[in-house]
Amino acid sequence: MSTEFAINSQVRVVALPPYVKTADPMPMLRPPDVIHIGEEGTVVDRRPGGYWGIRFAKGTFLLDSQYIETTDTPDISHQE
C-alpha cells in the first residue's frame, strides 16, 4: 500500500534506493549518494508507477513512497 502525500508538503528521506531517478523530461539514473538519509525536500508532483517528484537542494528526483516519510508530526498535546 502506497502512502499519499500532499503537493508542496515536506518529506524526509528514511532509506536510500539502489539508484535515484531524476525528474527531468528524459529521466536519468543517478547514484544514491546525491541525496542523504534525513534530507528534507518538497513534494512537487505524483508520477505514474507510484513515484513522487521531490525537490531537494541538489535537484528534483523521483522516489517511491517507501523511501520517504512526512515531516508533519501530529500535535499530541491537544488530544487530552
Side-chain angles (χ1 to χ4, degrees), residues 5-21:
F5 300 99
I7 303 300
N8 293 325
S9 65
Q10 294 292 313
V11 293
R12 178 182 307 116
V13 177
V14 294
L16 291 177
Y19 58 86
V20 179
K21 188 183 291 188

Side-chain angles (χ1 to χ4, degrees), residues 13-77:
V13 177
V14 294
L16 291 177
Y19 58 86
V20 179
K21 188 183 291 188
T22 64
D24 300 328
M26 174 83 68
M28 294 176 34
L29 297 180
R30 309 292 291 166
D33 62 354
V34 295
I35 57 174
H36 304 285
I37 293 178
E39 188 170 353
E40 294 185 6
T42 304
V43 176
V44 292
D45 63 1
R46 174 86 161 135
R47 301 283 177 101
Y51 289 97
W52 293 93
I54 303 169
R55 185 179 308 115
F56 293 102
K58 292 186 178 180
T60 304
F61 301 100
L62 301 176
L63 292 175
D64 191 282
S65 59
Q66 69 182 349
Y67 300 111
I68 54 177
E69 69 179 7
T70 185
T71 60
D72 297 334
T73 55
D75 188 6
I76 36 182
S77 64

